[in-house]
Amino acid sequence: MVFSDYINQLPNLRSDMIDSIAAKTKTSRGTVLRWIKGEVMPPPIKQDIISDILKIPVSELFPKEDVDRC
C-alpha cells in the first residue's frame, strides 16, 4: 500500500498521523501533505522514518517507478 493510500484510509486519525509524521521527520505539515498528494517525494532518510512510524516497508510505501519504460 503506497503512502498516500495508507494515510487517506485513516479518516479519524489522518490529522494526528500527519502531525506525528511532520514532527518526527522535522518537516512542516504542508510538506507532509505534498508527500501524501504525490507532488514531491520525501528524501530517503525521511522515507525510512515514515516506514518506522507506519511499520510498512519503504519499498511498499514509496515504490520505485520503472525507469526503463518509455
Side-chain angles (χ1 to χ4, degrees), residues 3-48:
F3 180 53
S4 60
D5 293 341
Y6 180 82
I7 297 297
N8 288 328
Q9 76 173 5
L10 301 171
N12 297 328
L13 303 173
R14 185 175 187 272
S15 183
D16 291 341
M17 183 60 72
I18 291 168
D19 290 339
S20 176
I21 291 169
K24 291 179 181 177
T25 59
K26 299 183 191 282
T27 56
S28 70
R29 181 179 170 84
T31 297
V32 175
L33 291 171
R34 285 190 289 281
W35 294 342
I36 292 168
K37 291 179 185 176
E39 294 174 4
V40 292
M41 184 69 74
I45 194 155
K46 303 217 182 203
Q47 291 180 18
D48 290 338

Side-chain angles (χ1 to χ4, degrees), residues 43-67:
I45 194 155
K46 303 217 182 203
Q47 291 180 18
D48 290 338
I49 295 168
I50 294 167
S51 173
D52 288 343
I53 294 167
L54 302 179
K55 308 290 189 245
I56 299 174
V58 170
S59 60
E60 192 173 329
L61 289 172
F62 305 100
K64 303 278 189 238
E65 292 188 30
D66 186 355
V67 294

